[in-house]
Amino acid sequence: MKLGKKTQERLYLAFCYTIILIGVIAVLYPTVWIVGSALNPNNSLFSSRIIPEGASLDNFRELLTHDEYPYLRWYWNTLKIASLNAIFSVVLTAGCAYAFSKFKFWGRKYGMITFLVIQMFPALMALVAIYVVLNMLGLLNTHTGLLLVYVGGAVPFSTWLLKGYFDTIPNSLSESALIDGASSFRIFWSIMLPLAKPMLAVVAMFQFVNPFNDFILANIILTSPSQRTLAVGLFNMVSNQFANDWTLFSAGAVLAGIPMMILFLSLQKYFVHGLSGAVKG
């Protein structure tokens, strides 16, 4: 039996809503579950209810005042590294991407190919080399050493993103500004950067989130407890078989997500436009 056009449209719409609903549940359930675990007064991740009986904020209070776990110190370390990583990555890659996009020079093509090839190799392959170099420079167990690794790894990927966006900006704008007597730096600062705000926001968000998510590099480079980031610190809270503070871990994970949520909500108006511009480029 052949279905009518309206029936087909309704079935298609119902199918789309079903897929969206499944996706929303898949994303929200782990979040609600970890929040429920943080509110659990017992030292267990499992409960018969999503929001456990006797839910309280005791885990958050204990986490912020715990003698063994300097959580606030880890929080500050991560915020500092994430903020500096976002700032330096945006500054370096904006100039680099603009040069690759708008200027003609020898090695331009091979430079972009090199950046692309570098992205094909995961950072873990260079882990030993990174450790040796930082040890030679005396930067092991320092935030400076970890920040250099993050920023260096961000340049190739972010440059490709920003170059694609700069390519969508008409050259006629810079040519008109040159005729009016504007310098190359003035064109870059006053015209190109304001137009590239959506993609700059995307790059900043990616690089801000990275130190919150990274565990392996931070765990190898930072060895003392006071220097740790949140990912390493939270792991050490549950790695001891004699003291698995799972509910404290959950509370710490919930608090760790707050800066990223605030930044995402603040910059969300730029994301769709920025990523669509990079795809077009």
Side-chain angles (χ1 to χ4, degrees):
M1 183 178 67
K2 187 175 180 180
L3 299 176
K5 185 176 180 181
K6 287 187 177 181
T7 303
Q8 291 179 0
E9 291 177 352
R10 289 173 181 172
L11 289 175
Y12 176 75
L13 192 61
F15 174 77
C16 292
Y17 280 133
T18 302
I19 297 298
I20 293 173
L21 181 60
I22 293 173
V24 170
I25 293 174
V27 171
L28 287 183
Y29 179 76
T31 304
V32 175
W33 182 71
I34 201 71
V35 171
S37 300
L39 298 174
N40 192 343
N42 301 316
N43 188 24
S44 174
L45 287 178
F46 301 99
S47 174
S48 59
R49 301 168 58 183
I50 294 180
I51 303 299
E53 295 182 5
S56 69
L57 299 176
D58 290 344
N59 289 319
F60 294 96
R61 283 191 288 266
E62 183 180 352
L63 181 68
L64 298 178
T65 58
H66 205 286
D67 295 331
E68 184 180 353
Y69 307 130
Y71 182 79
L72 291 178
R73 182 67 180 178
W74 300 338
Y75 209 99
W76 165 248
N77 292 342
T78 310
L79 278 177
K80 180 180 69 174
I81 294 173
S83 301
L84 291 175
N85 185 43
I87 293 171
F88 288 137
S89 297
V90 168
V91 171
L92 291 176
T93 56
C96 188
Y98 177 69
F100 276 116
S101 176
K102 300 300 181 183
F103 292 98
K104 307 295 182 182
F105 54 90
W106 184 88
R108 174 174 175 266
K109 177 181 177 181
Y110 297 107
M112 293 304 298
I113 293 176
T114 301
F115 279 175
L116 186 62
V117 171
I118 291 174
Q119 287 301 302
M120 295 179 182
F121 298 95
L124 296 181
M125 292 183 62
L127 208 55
V128 175
I130 290 172
Y131 184 89
V132 171
V133 170
L134 292 180
N135 187 40
M136 291 172 57
L137 297 176
L139 293 176
L140 278 180
N141 196 33
T142 65
H143 293 162
T144 302
L146 183 61
L147 185 61
L148 287 174
V149 175
Y150 284 153
V151 174
V155 168
F157 173 71
S158 300
T159 297
W160 267 100
L161 281 181
L162 273 169
K163 179 189 177 297
Y165 197 88
F166 279 129
D167 287 344
T168 65
I169 300 176
N171 293 330
S172 57
L173 293 176
S174 57
E175 293 170 356
S176 299
L178 280 174
I179 294 174
D180 292 336
S183 64
S184 297
F185 178 78
R186 184 60 182 272
I187 295 172
F188 170 68
W189 183 261
S190 301
I191 298 176
M192 296 299 172
L193 284 186
L195 292 175
K197 278 184 180 179
M199 183 50 63
L200 293 175
V202 171
V203 171
M205 181 66 187
F206 283 166
Q207 302 313 319
F208 183 85
V209 170
N210 185 43
F212 280 88
N213 293 333
D214 176 63
F215 168 77
I216 296 178
L217 286 173
N219 188 45
I220 291 175
I221 295 174
L222 305 176
T223 55
S224 63
S226 61
Q227 293 288 84
R228 289 172 179 163
T229 58
L230 278 173
V232 181
L234 290 174
F235 171 78
N236 280 273
M237 291 174 63
V238 295
S239 60
N240 188 344
Q241 61 178 332
F242 300 107
N244 293 330
D245 298 310
W246 288 108
T247 50
L248 288 183
F249 173 89
S250 301
V254 171
L255 293 178
I258 292 176
M260 292 178 282
M261 181 178 65
I262 293 175
L263 184 64
F264 180 83
L265 293 176
S266 301
L267 301 179
Q268 64 174 334
K269 62 181 180 180
Y270 296 112
F271 289 154
V272 174
H273 184 50
L275 291 174
S276 64
V279 172
K280 291 178 183 177

